[in-house]
Amino acid sequence: MAQNGGTSHPWADLPAALSGVLDKANKAAQDDGQLKALTTSDAIDAPATFGIKSAGAPNAVLITVTNGKAAISSGETSRAAFTLSALPEQWQEFMKQTPVAPYQSYWGMFGMNIKQEGIEVQGDQNAFAHWTHVWRRILEILHDAYAGPTPEDDEPEVDEDHIIGRYTYITSPVWGKCKVFYEQAGEGDQDIVFLHTAGSDARQYHGVLNNEHMRQKCRMTAFDLPAHGRSFPYEGYWPGMHTNTEDSYVGCIAALIKKLGLNKPIVCGASMAGQICLAVAARSDEVGAGGTIPLQGSDYLNMDRQWYDRSPYVNQSLFNPEWIYGMMSPTAPLKNRQLIWHLYSAQAYGIFHGDLDFYFGGWDGRSRMAGIDTKKCPVYMLTGEYDWSNTPAMSQETCDKIPGGKHQAMKGLGHFPATENPKVFVGYLLEAIDHIQQTRA
């Protein structure tokens, strides 16, 4: 990859680099059903223009949004309310047919807790947040017009479901009493509990719960945390006041395991749930766990928090799913990526932000990893290669601190491996389960 961000780089002028496909992209934008759905609103009563450009260049690809459409052109950035800027070599990577991480999305290039150099949003930051759903789709259209669509894996069609859902009451520290929803499937000998990511719910695991190999091997349980998804708000809850801590989270998991009478279950979860799996391993006697499989987990993450996911000026049902959409593998089946978008759009106000109180800085296990007894509670970490929030390298660094801990990077998967591509993820999952069972035996 070229390192020169000067005018000699072929992507130094983005409109020029895309000149051969701008008309094609504009036609695709006019015909795109997703873009029409995202822009159709009588509340859009005046045109809004934003830009996309290479760093240091005066010209940009310009997008003008009106009710029901978005038109693509080129011109000076002075016409744009905000501009997405990146280095020429970064746009070059983004425009490959199958980009490598973190170039699968502008959010990946921009970063979250890990910032990429050379990326900048210029201009009105609130407008940038308002239109995140539109600029993401426009970038996809530009990418496909230039390089062709990224080849994606097939998702098998199914017409039979094996999941049974129920409600039960549990009481946990901090949150207190709550009516929670849980689902179960499988007839195997190994109990396993699946935990969803921050600001989502257990529908993320339907592909795994219905997997034939998993149903034969395990008795699977997945549940929605209090105030998430189909679970009810907990006692003392007010809209917008949710927060998550290690004690409330661990206590909730322990309460459910006890209530359902699960036998030394393996606990598996991604993102903030990957972090809590490490806490569960450190507190396995208290929880009653017989092993953990942290997905996308590490012993500590931190960042300067943004508040667009809990802002009275930004629609969180649009912003939240867009913020995480680019964490997934671009090769994952589209309908699975759209499910993740749907789940993140569907949660109550402030739930995602409150969960991130734990994910970013609230969890700090750096001094405790060496004390995990992996003979009693084996730990097998799995990390998708397309995750730019918790990278495989970060998980490996954590695993290196755990005596007897294991870690494997997962090819073709991102931050939500169980949902993005269940059939690929299950192969890694079964290997982790086998390791835990053999270690305990």
Side-chain angles (χ1 to χ4, degrees), residues 198-231:
S200 191
D201 63 56
R203 285 176 287 179
Q204 292 179 336
Y205 288 98
H206 274 213
V208 177
L209 268 63
N210 276 306
N211 181 271
E212 180 181 3
H213 301 292
M214 285 298 297
R215 287 190 288 110
Q216 292 173 354
K217 189 177 187 67
C218 295
R219 291 189 302 270
M220 296 175 282
T221 301
F223 75 103
D224 297 352
L225 283 177
H228 293 66
R230 298 148 297 178
S231 288

mmCIF file of all heavy atoms in Angstrom, residues 198-231:
data_model
loop_
_atom_site.group_PDB
_atom_site.id
_atom_site.type_symbol
_atom_site.label_atom_id
_atom_site.label_comp_id
_atom_site.label_asym_id
_atom_site.label_seq_id
_atom_site.Cartn_x
_atom_site.Cartn_y
_atom_site.Cartn_z
ATOM 1 N N ALA A 198 -23.757 -5.583 23.892
ATOM 2 C CA ALA A 198 -24.317 -4.359 24.476
ATOM 3 C C ALA A 198 -25.444 -3.820 23.596
ATOM 4 O O ALA A 198 -25.330 -3.773 22.373
ATOM 5 C CB ALA A 198 -23.221 -3.302 24.634
ATOM 6 N N GLY A 199 -26.539 -3.426 24.234
ATOM 7 C CA GLY A 199 -27.621 -2.774 23.511
ATOM 8 C C GLY A 199 -28.348 -3.656 22.531
ATOM 9 O O GLY A 199 -28.864 -3.166 21.524
ATOM 10 N N SER A 200 -28.413 -4.957 22.798
ATOM 11 C CA SER A 200 -29.092 -5.865 21.876
ATOM 12 C C SER A 200 -29.850 -6.914 22.674
ATOM 13 O O SER A 200 -30.218 -6.681 23.827
ATOM 14 C CB SER A 200 -28.074 -6.505 20.926
ATOM 15 O OG SER A 200 -28.725 -7.195 19.876
ATOM 16 N N ASP A 201 -30.117 -8.082 22.069
ATOM 17 C CA ASP A 201 -30.800 -9.153 22.793
ATOM 18 C C ASP A 201 -30.432 -10.500 22.197
ATOM 19 O O ASP A 201 -29.667 -10.591 21.234
ATOM 20 C CB ASP A 201 -32.321 -8.921 22.830
ATOM 21 C CG ASP A 201 -32.981 -8.931 21.467
ATOM 22 O OD1 ASP A 201 -32.835 -9.931 20.737
ATOM 23 O OD2 ASP A 201 -33.662 -7.940 21.124
ATOM 24 N N ALA A 202 -30.982 -11.573 22.770
ATOM 25 C CA ALA A 202 -30.526 -12.930 22.482
ATOM 26 C C ALA A 202 -30.978 -13.474 21.135
ATOM 27 O O ALA A 202 -30.588 -14.589 20.758
ATOM 28 C CB ALA A 202 -30.976 -13.874 23.603
ATOM 29 N N ARG A 203 -31.776 -12.723 20.385
ATOM 30 C CA ARG A 203 -32.097 -13.157 19.031
ATOM 31 C C ARG A 203 -30.833 -13.291 18.179
ATOM 32 O O ARG A 203 -30.850 -13.942 17.137
ATOM 33 C CB ARG A 203 -33.094 -12.191 18.389
ATOM 34 C CG ARG A 203 -34.517 -12.354 18.906
ATOM 35 C CD ARG A 203 -35.452 -11.312 18.328
ATOM 36 N NE ARG A 203 -35.212 -9.991 18.907
ATOM 37 C CZ ARG A 203 -35.890 -8.900 18.549
ATOM 38 N NH1 ARG A 203 -36.830 -8.979 17.615
ATOM 39 N NH2 ARG A 203 -35.647 -7.735 19.128
ATOM 40 N N GLN A 204 -29.744 -12.687 18.636
ATOM 41 C CA GLN A 204 -28.460 -12.841 17.959
ATOM 42 C C GLN A 204 -28.045 -14.308 17.822
ATOM 43 O O GLN A 204 -27.268 -14.652 16.926
ATOM 44 C CB GLN A 204 -27.369 -12.094 18.742
ATOM 45 C CG GLN A 204 -27.505 -10.583 18.727
ATOM 46 C CD GLN A 204 -26.403 -9.912 19.547
ATOM 47 O OE1 GLN A 204 -25.827 -10.511 20.445
ATOM 48 N NE2 GLN A 204 -26.109 -8.663 19.234
ATOM 49 N N TYR A 205 -28.532 -15.171 18.695
ATOM 50 C CA TYR A 205 -28.063 -16.564 18.734
ATOM 51 C C TYR A 205 -29.024 -17.560 18.085
ATOM 52 O O TYR A 205 -28.816 -18.756 18.195
ATOM 53 C CB TYR A 205 -27.789 -16.967 20.189
ATOM 54 C CG TYR A 205 -26.559 -16.307 20.751
ATOM 55 C CD1 TYR A 205 -26.654 -15.163 21.531
ATOM 56 C CD2 TYR A 205 -25.282 -16.806 20.463
ATOM 57 C CE1 TYR A 205 -25.524 -14.546 22.027
ATOM 58 C CE2 TYR A 205 -24.149 -16.193 20.957
ATOM 59 C CZ TYR A 205 -24.273 -15.052 21.735
ATOM 60 O OH TYR A 205 -23.144 -14.430 22.225
ATOM 61 N N HIS A 206 -30.039 -17.100 17.392
ATOM 62 C CA HIS A 206 -31.001 -18.035 16.813
ATOM 63 C C HIS A 206 -30.351 -18.991 15.814
ATOM 64 O O HIS A 206 -30.712 -20.172 15.737
ATOM 65 C CB HIS A 206 -32.160 -17.275 16.178
ATOM 66 C CG HIS A 206 -33.249 -16.949 17.143
ATOM 67 N ND1 HIS A 206 -34.578 -16.889 16.793
ATOM 68 C CD2 HIS A 206 -33.206 -16.671 18.470
ATOM 69 C CE1 HIS A 206 -35.306 -16.589 17.854
ATOM 70 N NE2 HIS A 206 -34.487 -16.442 18.887
ATOM 71 N N GLY A 207 -29.398 -18.506 15.036
ATOM 72 C CA GLY A 207 -28.714 -19.375 14.092
ATOM 73 C C GLY A 207 -27.932 -20.479 14.773
ATOM 74 O O GLY A 207 -27.820 -21.600 14.254
ATOM 75 N N VAL A 208 -27.369 -20.179 15.946
ATOM 76 C CA VAL A 208 -26.610 -21.170 16.713
ATOM 77 C C VAL A 208 -27.566 -22.130 17.425
ATOM 78 O O VAL A 208 -27.361 -23.350 17.425
ATOM 79 C CB VAL A 208 -25.678 -20.479 17.726
ATOM 80 C CG1 VAL A 208 -24.939 -21.506 18.573
ATOM 81 C CG2 VAL A 208 -24.675 -19.574 16.992
ATOM 82 N N LEU A 209 -28.629 -21.599 18.020
ATOM 83 C CA LEU A 209 -29.571 -22.446 18.747
ATOM 84 C C LEU A 209 -30.270 -23.450 17.825
ATOM 85 O O LEU A 209 -30.677 -24.521 18.269
ATOM 86 C CB LEU A 209 -30.613 -21.589 19.467
ATOM 87 C CG LEU A 209 -30.296 -21.199 20.920
ATOM 88 C CD1 LEU A 209 -29.048 -20.332 21.000
ATOM 89 C CD2 LEU A 209 -31.476 -20.462 21.563
ATOM 90 N N ASN A 210 -30.403 -23.097 16.566
ATOM 91 C CA ASN A 210 -31.045 -23.996 15.614
ATOM 92 C C ASN A 210 -30.058 -24.906 14.882
ATOM 93 O O ASN A 210 -30.490 -25.771 14.110
ATOM 94 C CB ASN A 210 -31.841 -23.191 14.584
ATOM 95 C CG ASN A 210 -33.229 -22.838 15.082
ATOM 96 O OD1 ASN A 210 -33.989 -23.703 15.490
ATOM 97 N ND2 ASN A 210 -33.547 -21.546 15.060
ATOM 98 N N ASN A 211 -28.760 -24.723 15.120
ATOM 99 C CA ASN A 211 -27.762 -25.531 14.424
ATOM 100 C C ASN A 211 -27.824 -26.992 14.878
ATOM 101 O O ASN A 211 -27.811 -27.281 16.083
ATOM 102 C CB ASN A 211 -26.365 -24.958 14.678
ATOM 103 C CG ASN A 211 -25.283 -25.735 13.960
ATOM 104 O OD1 ASN A 211 -24.745 -26.702 14.494
ATOM 105 N ND2 ASN A 211 -24.957 -25.319 12.754
ATOM 106 N N GLU A 212 -27.875 -27.907 13.926
ATOM 107 C CA GLU A 212 -28.046 -29.327 14.244
ATOM 108 C C GLU A 212 -26.908 -29.865 15.105
ATOM 109 O O GLU A 212 -27.138 -30.614 16.072
ATOM 110 C CB GLU A 212 -28.152 -30.139 12.955
ATOM 111 C CG GLU A 212 -28.342 -31.626 13.173
ATOM 112 C CD GLU A 212 -28.430 -32.411 11.874
ATOM 113 O OE1 GLU A 212 -28.280 -31.784 10.803
ATOM 114 O OE2 GLU A 212 -28.631 -33.646 11.934
ATOM 115 N N HIS A 213 -25.672 -29.493 14.776
ATOM 116 C CA HIS A 213 -24.519 -29.994 15.531
ATOM 117 C C HIS A 213 -24.551 -29.485 16.977
ATOM 118 O O HIS A 213 -24.251 -30.245 17.912
ATOM 119 C CB HIS A 213 -23.218 -29.579 14.858
ATOM 120 C CG HIS A 213 -23.095 -30.087 13.447
ATOM 121 N ND1 HIS A 213 -22.952 -31.421 13.148
ATOM 122 C CD2 HIS A 213 -23.104 -29.429 12.264
ATOM 123 C CE1 HIS A 213 -22.866 -31.565 11.827
ATOM 124 N NE2 HIS A 213 -22.964 -30.377 11.276
ATOM 125 N N MET A 214 -24.928 -28.228 17.153
ATOM 126 C CA MET A 214 -25.010 -27.680 18.496
ATOM 127 C C MET A 214 -26.166 -28.299 19.276
ATOM 128 O O MET A 214 -26.047 -28.552 20.483
ATOM 129 C CB MET A 214 -25.161 -26.155 18.434
ATOM 130 C CG MET A 214 -23.883 -25.417 18.076
ATOM 131 S SD MET A 214 -22.570 -25.671 19.304
ATOM 132 C CE MET A 214 -23.313 -24.922 20.746
ATOM 133 N N ARG A 215 -27.283 -28.563 18.612
ATOM 134 C CA ARG A 215 -28.423 -29.174 19.307
ATOM 135 C C ARG A 215 -28.097 -30.593 19.776
ATOM 136 O O ARG A 215 -28.573 -31.034 20.826
ATOM 137 C CB ARG A 215 -29.647 -29.181 18.392
ATOM 138 C CG ARG A 215 -30.272 -27.806 18.210
ATOM 139 C CD ARG A 215 -31.614 -27.856 17.492
ATOM 140 N NE ARG A 215 -31.475 -28.167 16.071
ATOM 141 C CZ ARG A 215 -31.849 -29.296 15.504
ATOM 142 N NH1 ARG A 215 -32.388 -30.271 16.253
ATOM 143 N NH2 ARG A 215 -31.718 -29.488 14.207
ATOM 144 N N GLN A 216 -27.277 -31.303 19.025
ATOM 145 C CA GLN A 216 -26.889 -32.654 19.428
ATOM 146 C C GLN A 216 -25.897 -32.647 20.582
ATOM 147 O O GLN A 216 -25.923 -33.533 21.440
ATOM 148 C CB GLN A 216 -26.285 -33.391 18.231
ATOM 149 C CG GLN A 216 -27.279 -33.717 17.124
ATOM 150 C CD GLN A 216 -26.613 -34.297 15.890
ATOM 151 O OE1 GLN A 216 -25.383 -34.358 15.797
ATOM 152 N NE2 GLN A 216 -27.427 -34.722 14.923
ATOM 153 N N LYS A 217 -25.057 -31.628 20.625
ATOM 154 C CA LYS A 217 -23.965 -31.618 21.607
ATOM 155 C C LYS A 217 -24.348 -30.934 22.921
ATOM 156 O O LYS A 217 -23.857 -31.299 23.988
ATOM 157 C CB LYS A 217 -22.738 -30.923 21.007
ATOM 158 C CG LYS A 217 -21.474 -31.055 21.855
ATOM 159 C CD LYS A 217 -20.283 -30.411 21.157
ATOM 160 C CE LYS A 217 -18.989 -30.692 21.910
ATOM 161 N NZ LYS A 217 -18.611 -32.126 21.871
ATOM 162 N N CYS A 218 -25.224 -29.920 22.855
ATOM 163 C CA CYS A 218 -25.437 -29.044 24.013
ATOM 164 C C CYS A 218 -26.912 -28.850 24.350
ATOM 165 O O CYS A 218 -27.790 -29.038 23.506
ATOM 166 C CB CYS A 218 -24.832 -27.660 23.733
ATOM 167 S SG CYS A 218 -23.038 -27.644 23.534
ATOM 168 N N ARG A 219 -27.139 -28.459 25.594
ATOM 169 C CA ARG A 219 -28.400 -27.866 26.018
ATOM 170 C C ARG A 219 -28.147 -26.365 26.097
ATOM 171 O O ARG A 219 -27.459 -25.887 27.012
ATOM 172 C CB ARG A 219 -28.841 -28.408 27.380
ATOM 173 C CG ARG A 219 -29.270 -29.854 27.372
ATOM 174 C CD ARG A 219 -29.891 -30.260 28.713
ATOM 175 N NE ARG A 219 -28.946 -30.037 29.817
ATOM 176 C CZ ARG A 219 -28.076 -30.954 30.249
ATOM 177 N NH1 ARG A 219 -28.022 -32.142 29.680
ATOM 178 N NH2 ARG A 219 -27.270 -30.694 31.263
ATOM 179 N N MET A 220 -28.697 -25.617 25.160
ATOM 180 C CA MET A 220 -28.360 -24.203 25.004
ATOM 181 C C MET A 220 -29.416 -23.298 25.637
ATOM 182 O O MET A 220 -30.618 -23.549 25.524
ATOM 183 C CB MET A 220 -28.233 -23.873 23.517
ATOM 184 C CG MET A 220 -27.104 -24.615 22.821
ATOM 185 S SD MET A 220 -27.068 -24.316 21.027
ATOM 186 C CE MET A 220 -28.400 -25.413 20.482
ATOM 187 N N THR A 221 -28.947 -22.264 26.294
ATOM 188 C CA THR A 221 -29.810 -21.242 26.875
ATOM 189 C C THR A 221 -29.290 -19.877 26.460
ATOM 190 O O THR A 221 -28.086 -19.619 26.534
ATOM 191 C CB THR A 221 -29.821 -21.322 28.415
ATOM 192 O OG1 THR A 221 -30.279 -22.611 28.834
ATOM 193 C CG2 THR A 221 -30.722 -20.247 29.014
ATOM 194 N N ALA A 222 -30.177 -19.025 25.995
ATOM 195 C CA ALA A 222 -29.825 -17.632 25.703
ATOM 196 C C ALA A 222 -30.900 -16.747 26.311
ATOM 197 O O ALA A 222 -32.087 -17.092 26.264
ATOM 198 C CB ALA A 222 -29.726 -17.400 24.201
ATOM 199 N N PHE A 223 -30.514 -15.626 26.902
ATOM 200 C CA PHE A 223 -31.521 -14.776 27.550
ATOM 201 C C PHE A 223 -31.242 -13.308 27.289
ATOM 202 O O PHE A 223 -30.119 -12.909 26.992
ATOM 203 C CB PHE A 223 -31.596 -15.063 29.056
ATOM 204 C CG PHE A 223 -30.465 -14.523 29.874
ATOM 205 C CD1 PHE A 223 -30.621 -13.375 30.640
ATOM 206 C CD2 PHE A 223 -29.230 -15.176 29.917
ATOM 207 C CE1 PHE A 223 -29.587 -12.883 31.426
ATOM 208 C CE2 PHE A 223 -28.189 -14.698 30.693
ATOM 209 C CZ PHE A 223 -28.362 -13.542 31.445
ATOM 210 N N ASP A 224 -32.303 -12.523 27.373
ATOM 211 C CA ASP A 224 -32.208 -11.070 27.246
ATOM 212 C C ASP A 224 -31.955 -10.472 28.627
ATOM 213 O O ASP A 224 -32.703 -10.750 29.577
ATOM 214 C CB ASP A 224 -33.506 -10.484 26.690
ATOM 215 C CG ASP A 224 -33.842 -10.968 25.288
ATOM 216 O OD1 ASP A 224 -32.987 -11.642 24.673
ATOM 217 O OD2 ASP A 224 -34.957 -10.680 24.813
ATOM 218 N N LEU A 225 -30.944 -9.665 28.744
ATOM 219 C CA LEU A 225 -30.686 -8.982 30.013
ATOM 220 C C LEU A 225 -31.904 -8.153 30.433
ATOM 221 O O LEU A 225 -32.713 -7.752 29.592
ATOM 222 C CB LEU A 225 -29.477 -8.055 29.883
ATOM 223 C CG LEU A 225 -28.091 -8.689 29.896
ATOM 224 C CD1 LEU A 225 -27.028 -7.613 29.688
ATOM 225 C CD2 LEU A 225 -27.827 -9.432 31.199
ATOM 226 N N PRO A 226 -32.061 -7.897 31.721
ATOM 227 C CA PRO A 226 -33.143 -7.021 32.170
ATOM 228 C C PRO A 226 -33.180 -5.707 31.383
ATOM 229 O O PRO A 226 -32.142 -5.109 31.110
ATOM 230 C CB PRO A 226 -32.801 -6.777 33.651
ATOM 231 C CG PRO A 226 -32.077 -8.028 34.063
ATOM 232 C CD PRO A 226 -31.274 -8.429 32.863
ATOM 233 N N ALA A 227 -34.386 -5.306 30.990
ATOM 234 C CA ALA A 227 -34.637 -4.074 30.227
ATOM 235 C C ALA A 227 -34.164 -4.148 28.782
ATOM 236 O O ALA A 227 -34.202 -3.151 28.059
ATOM 237 C CB ALA A 227 -34.032 -2.849 30.917
ATOM 238 N N HIS A 228 -33.702 -5.297 28.328
ATOM 239 C CA HIS A 228 -33.258 -5.494 26.951
ATOM 240 C C HIS A 228 -34.261 -6.373 26.203
ATOM 241 O O HIS A 228 -34.826 -7.307 26.779
ATOM 242 C CB HIS A 228 -31.896 -6.174 26.900
ATOM 243 C CG HIS A 228 -30.757 -5.361 27.436
ATOM 244 N ND1 HIS A 228 -30.661 -5.001 28.767
ATOM 245 C CD2 HIS A 228 -29.648 -4.852 26.823
ATOM 246 C CE1 HIS A 228 -29.551 -4.303 28.944
ATOM 247 N NE2 HIS A 228 -28.927 -4.191 27.774
ATOM 248 N N GLY A 229 -34.430 -6.112 24.925
ATOM 249 C CA GLY A 229 -35.201 -6.990 24.063
ATOM 250 C C GLY A 229 -36.578 -7.293 24.609
ATOM 251 O O GLY A 229 -37.402 -6.418 24.851
ATOM 252 N N ARG A 230 -36.814 -8.581 24.889
ATOM 253 C CA ARG A 230 -38.130 -9.036 25.322
ATOM 254 C C ARG A 230 -38.253 -9.136 26.832
ATOM 255 O O ARG A 230 -39.331 -9.446 27.357
ATOM 256 C CB ARG A 230 -38.433 -10.379 24.642
ATOM 257 C CG ARG A 230 -38.493 -10.260 23.114
ATOM 258 C CD ARG A 230 -38.038 -11.509 22.409
ATOM 259 N NE ARG A 230 -36.631 -11.813 22.672
ATOM 260 C CZ ARG A 230 -36.008 -12.888 22.201
ATOM 261 N NH1 ARG A 230 -36.668 -13.747 21.451
ATOM 262 N NH2 ARG A 230 -34.733 -13.091 22.493
ATOM 263 N N SER A 231 -37.146 -8.905 27.570
ATOM 264 C CA SER A 231 -37.220 -8.864 29.033
ATOM 265 C C SER A 231 -37.856 -7.553 29.491
ATOM 266 O O SER A 231 -37.805 -6.536 28.797
ATOM 267 C CB SER A 231 -35.825 -9.006 29.646
ATOM 268 O OG SER A 231 -35.337 -10.321 29.496
#
